[in-house]
Amino acid sequence: MTPWHGETIEALRGALARGSTTSERITEACLERIAALNPALNAFVTVTADAALQAARAADDARREGRIASALHGIPISLKDLIDQAGLRTTAGSRVRADVVAHADAPVTARLKAAGAVLVGKTNLHEFAFGPTSEESGFGAAHHPVDPERSPGGSSGGSAIAVRTGMSIASIGTDTGGSIRIPAALCGVVGFKPEWGDVPADGVVPLSRQLDHVGPLARTVTDAWLVYESLCGRLPAPAATLTAPSLKGVRLGVLRGYFEDRLDAEVADRHAAALDTLRRAGAVLEPVELSHAATMAAVYLPLVLGDAAAYHADTLERRPEDYTPGVRARLEMGRALLAEDYVRALHGREVIAREIERALDGRQALVSATTPVPAPRLGEPTVAVRGGSEPTRNALLRLTQPFNLGRQPAITMPSGETQDALPVGLQLVAACGRTQPLLELALACERALAG
Amino acid sequence: MTDIDRWLAAAEADVEARGLQAVKPLLQGLAGALRVLRAADWNDRADGASPPPADVERLR
């Protein structure tokens, strides 16, 4: 029997069109994967098996009548449990919201339903999306699909696990400092953070509204594009395809300095090999340094801390014990910020955004590793990098958060594995307004890296 | 401008008074980030003076 849960949207829509399978069978396969793997990996907070099967049968009925909503018609997709789906609780991975039921669909949820997607459940995450490891969750830590002793990354950890293991064919995550790209890279799937504002974040529990982005995790670049199009409210035609350009003469800015100085040795090796592959495919690689790179974390921190503190202050006063200890401590830290430092960070964000855009002038994309280290062990507060040690949280966010400040579209794709079979990701970033060319370029890179 | 050291002392005293000892090391890390932020070259000064060039690694 074909393991439908392990296929791409591209493959499944073809099989569905040919009548080789049904949405019901694909959905059953995903639900079986959830039943088999979720007890160990803890990727889902809520599974909507009955509703999903009902939606799948309805999708099959519509297909038989010739009504095919889009390329996602009948495809099982999961939602990070930060996103509202009417009638289901939105826990944000926190006991604080254990019983908070959404009365309406978030716009992205409604758009997926309009595209014909089958929603199979809500995925686990770092509590309130406030961390990159998914270990501080009110519903227990999520576990890496290759090595359960390790973190899948976060905050959209459950989404990355679901896609990697076939519990859902794609998933919707959010990204405030890297929360789509980090778990996607650590779990070996594709993660796409759209340009800020492209995809509505209404009906999504905020971490920092000025840095929050909603986007897809999927098995391939084309799948991520199909889901992204749906999230934007543009129903992709059932046979819609992305076209890969030639890489010959394409100018890519390779981020140096801050972005390369402190990479794990195996990550550095895989990254260098990926760049070499792109060079051999004809890309022109140009070194780029961002002069304000070393200040980026110092700009990011006051913004996210201040915004999160404003959202949580009242609840922290009333129900502090319902937060996980680490998230509570970081939120309390945010309450100590001075307004003057928040304003300096607001100014810094604009400076950094302009600097990134200047670095992209005349270049198709900037390139870096997605994370400086592979999946860290759960519970380890620091990771070893190049003979030194760095807080795990800082290390995981280091290469992705600049593009939340800059608000550029950014995508990660698998670029290899360590000797322990832990995935390594390659990050591509394009200028604002250049999303479609970025995704086309990413498809070309994905093909080159696949050999 | 509130001096970072004075801000840190006040913030540490506040969390200690509220029994939040776990927040103290986080505040010390935040103080390092704020030193970097305040030394950044985009900060304007009312008296027209330029901020001194920052040694970011030292300030962390």
Side-chain angles (χ1 to χ4, degrees):
Chain A
M1 182 179 168
T2 305
W4 298 113
H5 59 78
E7 294 288 355
T8 63
I9 296 172
E10 269 193 291
L12 289 172
R13 68 179 173 179
L16 286 164
R18 289 190 302 275
S20 309
T21 189
T22 63
S23 175
E24 185 177 5
R25 266 188 264 165
I26 298 167
T27 303
E28 282 173 345
C30 289
L31 293 171
E32 284 167 12
R33 292 290 280 180
I34 294 172
L37 299 176
N38 201 50
L41 301 181
N42 202 22
F44 279 80
V45 174
T46 300
V47 180
T48 53
D50 292 343
L53 287 169
Q54 196 175 347
R57 288 183 201 113
D60 288 334
D61 289 344
R63 183 178 294 277
R64 276 190 287 275
E65 293 164 10
R67 292 182 289 114
I68 302 168
S70 80
L72 299 191
H73 189 100
I75 301 293
I77 290 180
S78 55
L79 296 178
K80 183 179 186 177
D81 200 14
L82 202 65
I83 302 169
D84 281 348
Q85 181 177 351
L88 299 180
R89 60 183 183 162
T90 307
T91 70
S94 180
R95 290 289 166 192
V96 168
R97 293 179 58 94
D99 303 312
V100 177
V101 174
H103 298 295
D105 285 334
V108 291
T109 307
R111 288 174 179 181
L112 289 170
K113 286 181 176 176
V118 171
L119 301 178
V120 295
K122 312 287 291 291
T123 56
N124 199 1
L125 64 149
H126 207 118
E127 185 178 32
F128 282 108
F130 204 9
T133 59
S134 302
E135 59 192 327
E136 293 173 313
S137 165
F139 300 89
H143 297 265
H144 195 281
V146 173
D147 178 353
E149 298 298 314
R150 292 180 183 268
S151 160
S155 62
S156 311
S159 290
I161 299 166
V163 174
R164 167 71 189 235
T165 59
M167 295 185 195
S168 66
I169 308 303
S171 191
I172 312 304
T174 64
D175 190 317
T176 304
S179 285
I180 289 173
R181 290 162 288 159
I182 293 165
L186 298 188
C187 290
V189 301
V190 171
F192 175 50
K193 179 194 82 67
E195 180 178 339
W196 187 84
D198 250 8
V199 175
D202 309 300
V204 179
V205 176
L207 177 56
S208 163
R209 288 187 173 93
Q210 63 182 311
L211 302 174
D212 291 343
H213 302 66
V214 180
L217 296 91
R219 300 178 78 88
T220 64
V221 171
T222 295
D223 281 8
W225 171 70
L226 291 169
V227 177
Y228 163 72
E229 286 291 295
S230 304
L231 294 178
C232 289
R234 300 185 288 265
L235 293 176
T241 56
L242 193 59
T243 306
S246 165
L247 287 174
K248 282 201 186 338
V250 168
R251 291 177 64 196
L252 300 177
V254 178
L255 289 161
R256 303 286 193 205
Y258 170 89
F259 289 88
E260 278 196 346
D261 286 347
R262 283 181 294 145
L263 298 182
D264 166 85
E266 284 198 87
V267 171
D269 283 351
R270 300 305 171 277
H271 185 56
L275 293 179
D276 197 44
T277 298
L278 300 182
R279 185 184 295 110
R280 281 188 275 110
V284 178
L285 305 185
E286 302 169 331
V288 171
E289 291 220 33
L290 300 178
S291 64
H292 289 105
T295 66
M296 288 177 180
V299 171
Y300 177 83
L301 204 54
L303 297 180
V304 75
L305 287 178
D307 291 351
Y311 182 72
H312 286 277
D314 181 66
T315 312
L316 270 173
E317 289 290 329
R318 289 185 294 106
R319 302 175 55 183
E321 68 286 353
D322 285 338
Y323 288 87
T324 61
V327 168
R328 179 188 173 194
R330 288 200 292 284
L331 290 169
E332 289 288 357
M333 170 173 58
R335 300 179 75 190
L337 265 180
L338 295 177
E340 62 180 83
D341 289 316
Y342 187 85
V343 172
R344 290 185 184 99
L346 284 173
H347 188 184
R349 194 203 70 71
E350 292 172 4
V351 170
I352 287 166
R354 285 196 295 272
E355 185 177 355
I356 296 170
E357 288 293 313
R358 278 197 302 276
L360 281 159
D361 191 21
R363 298 189 176 102
Q364 198 89 358
L366 301 177
V367 188
S368 75
T370 308
T371 62
V373 292
R377 293 193 181 281
L378 286 167
E380 285 196 349
T382 60
V383 288
V385 189
R386 292 280 176 191
S389 150
E390 184 175 6
T392 303
R393 173 186 170 80
N394 297 6
L396 289 177
L397 288 163
R398 178 149 49 85
L399 307 183
T400 50
Q401 66 188 5
F403 311 108
N404 294 77
L405 295 172
R407 298 178 170 176
Q408 289 83 10
I411 189 167
T412 181
M413 69 185 73
S415 63
E417 293 179 349
T418 66
Q419 289 184 341
D420 293 334
L422 296 173
V424 174
L426 179 77
Q427 177 175 235
L428 296 174
V429 182
C432 291
R434 302 277 300 165
T435 296
Q436 186 69 14
L438 171 68
L439 291 169
E440 290 168 356
L441 171 67
L443 177 61
C445 293
E446 179 181 58
R447 287 179 179 169
L449 292 173
Chain B
M1 185 190 297
T2 302
D3 174 77
I4 294 281
D5 292 330
R6 275 190 288 133
W7 167 81
L8 180 59
E12 286 183 327
D14 176 61
V15 295
E16 200 161 308
R18 292 194 291 137
L20 299 169
Q21 306 293 341
V23 184
K24 281 180 72 174
L26 300 181
L27 287 169
Q28 289 155 12
L30 178 59
L34 296 180
R35 286 191 181 95
V36 173
L37 179 67
R38 291 185 180 196
D41 60 8
W42 61 75
N43 290 308
D44 302 328
R45 305 286 163 99
D47 64 1
S50 302
D55 179 348
V56 168
E57 289 305 322
R58 187 184 59 78
L59 289 171
R60 272 181 211 282

